[in-house]
Amino acid sequence: MKRILITGAGGQIGSWLVPRLRELYGEANVLATDVRHLGSDFADAGPFQVLDATDAKAVGECVMRHRPDTVYHLAAILSATGEKDPQLAWHVNMASLEAVLEVAREQHCAVFTPSSIGAFGHDTPKDPTPQDTIMRPATMYGITKVAGELLCDYYHTRYGVDTRGVRFPGLISYGAPPGGGTTDWAVDIYYKALSDGRYTCFLGPDSQLDMMYMPDAIDALIGVMEADADRLQHRNAFNVTAMQLTPTGLAAEIRKHIPHFEIDFEVDPVRQAIADSWPDRIDDSAAREEWDWSPSFDASAMTVDMLEHLNHND
Ligand code: NAD
Ligand code: SER
């Protein structure tokens, strides 16, 4: 039976990952932690502890007490919030990863760390973006993601830590809101379509980015951690994607269900510049070949599911 520790568990991904891991491995074996006190719905649903993942001593004590064999390290500052306070983004993203990797080295834990399409930059080929390519990101978020990928590789080759990860595209979900990213528009649009029948988008109409529905992202997280280690050539930071979306294209998909839905645009130059530096379409063939990655949801199936759940106030 696995024992698991999750950092940053109260965020967009963690709020989906925690219940899924508890279903798979048993409630008592999955300790959710976050720097914030979370609501009673979350904190009472199973073991929960407040933990600042940048505090190496506290992370070490937590691991000694819970004795996990795997850490899912989700605590981070995302791209748009990171550009508002780059020093905070560097501190949180790097100090927390260093703390988790050090304790994993000492206590022999496997570590999952998500990277992002934000790890790519202007010099990267945009369509398709290869698995192994030029990575010179233009944001502090991206810089921490590239540094994190390299640090995870180092802990594997130097110390034998079983580090694994994927480069997620923008993730779309209901439930916990996204935490300040450039791809948040693709979540907000569904809420506003239902509440107001219209949405003002902060990216331009034709800005294309890779995206994925959260149930597929959770399958990717668990899939890469359970993959046969002998097949993995790219342990950290597999490109994974499910669809490519533009605001105009997703609006058209929503209009199939809400015909009066309208979209307009007030472009935010900071988030537009970030989006313009990211790929249009990443090539995820390495993940497909090395651990049989295959998403289930396209834009059409995702839209049906999102609207159905939001209509029922999930
Ligand atoms: P989120 O912002 O929704 O959640 C992050 C969580 O980390 C929050 O609950 C926050 O309270 C917590 N946190 C912040 N500082 C902390 C600290 N010092 N110690 C402990 N917890 C702390 O983010 P998310 O969308 O769930 O993303 C999780 C990871 O996945 C991040 O590494 C992110 O870069 C990556 N990722 C996310 C997406 C996406 O679209 N959501 C895409 C690519 C990669
Ligand atoms: N959704 C994330 C962001 O926009 C991608 O890493 O920051």
Side-chain angles (χ1 to χ4, degrees):
M1 180 56 81
K2 277 192 152 331
R3 279 180 75 76
I4 289 169
L5 170 69
I6 304 166
T7 71
Q12 191 191 4
I13 297 179
S15 62
W16 282 68
L17 182 64
V18 170
R20 178 72 179 282
L21 290 174
R22 286 187 174 145
E23 262 171 42
L24 287 174
Y25 305 122
E27 190 182 295
N29 291 316
V30 179
L31 174 62
T33 70
D34 201 287
V35 74
R36 298 177 285 138
H37 289 271
L38 302 176
S40 56
D41 275 3
F42 195 102
D44 296 347
F48 172 74
Q49 181 186 319
V50 170
L51 177 68
D52 179 351
T54 66
D55 181 342
K57 186 163 172 277
V59 173
E61 285 166 0
C62 183
V63 166
M64 289 300 280
R65 260 197 316 278
H66 182 64
R67 296 255 165 228
D69 49 59
T70 306
V71 180
Y72 285 84
H73 177 46
L74 304 182
I77 302 293
L78 273 72
S79 60
T81 309
E83 286 314 285
K84 287 185 191 143
D85 192 342
Q87 289 73 22
L88 178 73
W90 174 263
H91 172 66
V92 171
N93 296 4
M94 297 315 300
S96 65
L97 181 58
E98 192 185 352
V100 165
L101 288 172
E102 265 303 288
V103 76
R105 175 171 77 86
E106 287 161 6
Q107 302 299 324
H108 310 290
C109 307
V111 179
F112 173 86
T113 312
S115 186
S116 162
I117 50 170
F120 299 112
H122 290 290
D123 305 329
T124 306
K126 277 189 177 302
D127 188 358
T129 296
Q131 172 68 42
D132 301 307
T133 187
I134 300 165
M135 302 184 75
R136 296 186 62 79
T139 62
M140 182 57 86
Y141 176 69
I143 291 166
T144 67
K145 289 300 177 191
V146 175
E149 291 182 12
L150 294 173
L151 199 58
C152 289
D153 280 346
Y154 186 82
Y155 268 72
H156 175 65
T157 49
R158 175 77 196 258
Y159 301 120
V161 178
D162 185 2
T163 53
R164 303 185 187 193
V166 298
R167 292 183 188 127
F168 275 132
L171 300 180
I172 297 169
S173 62
Y174 52 90
T182 303
T183 58
D184 293 10
W185 69 267
V187 177
D188 301 344
I189 192 172
Y190 286 103
Y191 284 85
K192 288 288 185 187
L194 285 167
S195 65
D196 302 353
R198 59 179 304 116
Y199 175 62
T200 301
C201 189
F202 59 77
L203 293 188
D206 303 318
S207 288
Q208 179 173 308
L209 291 169
D210 283 286
M211 300 276 178
M212 185 182 294
Y213 196 30
M214 191 62 86
D216 280 330
I218 300 301
D219 284 348
L221 276 151
I222 295 171
V224 75
M225 290 313 285
E226 296 204 332
D228 177 356
D230 292 341
R231 287 180 64 196
L232 301 183
Q233 302 296 312
H234 300 86
R235 318 193 113 253
N236 291 297
F238 282 94
N239 284 359
V240 287
T241 188
M243 62 192 91
Q244 292 73 38
L245 294 179
T246 63
T248 311
L250 188 53
E253 203 57 61
I254 291 173
R255 223 171 272 123
K256 291 178 189 166
H257 306 273
I258 306 174
H260 62 278
F261 175 63
E262 286 177 21
I263 187 166
D264 60 10
F265 300 90
E266 270 176 32
V267 171
D268 168 15
V270 173
R271 285 177 287 185
Q272 185 67 58
I274 296 174
D276 290 346
S277 74
W278 289 357
D280 292 341
R281 178 192 312 266
I282 59 174
D283 171 6
D284 62 2
S285 51
R288 290 172 186 269
E289 282 158 23
E290 293 176 39
W291 48 279
D292 307 319
W293 157 246
S294 173
S296 299
F297 285 87
D298 59 12
S300 161
M302 173 179 74
T303 298
V304 169
D305 203 62
M306 276 292 282
L307 293 176
E308 194 178 305
H309 281 94
L310 291 178
N311 265 323
H312 290 94
N313 294 321
D314 275 323

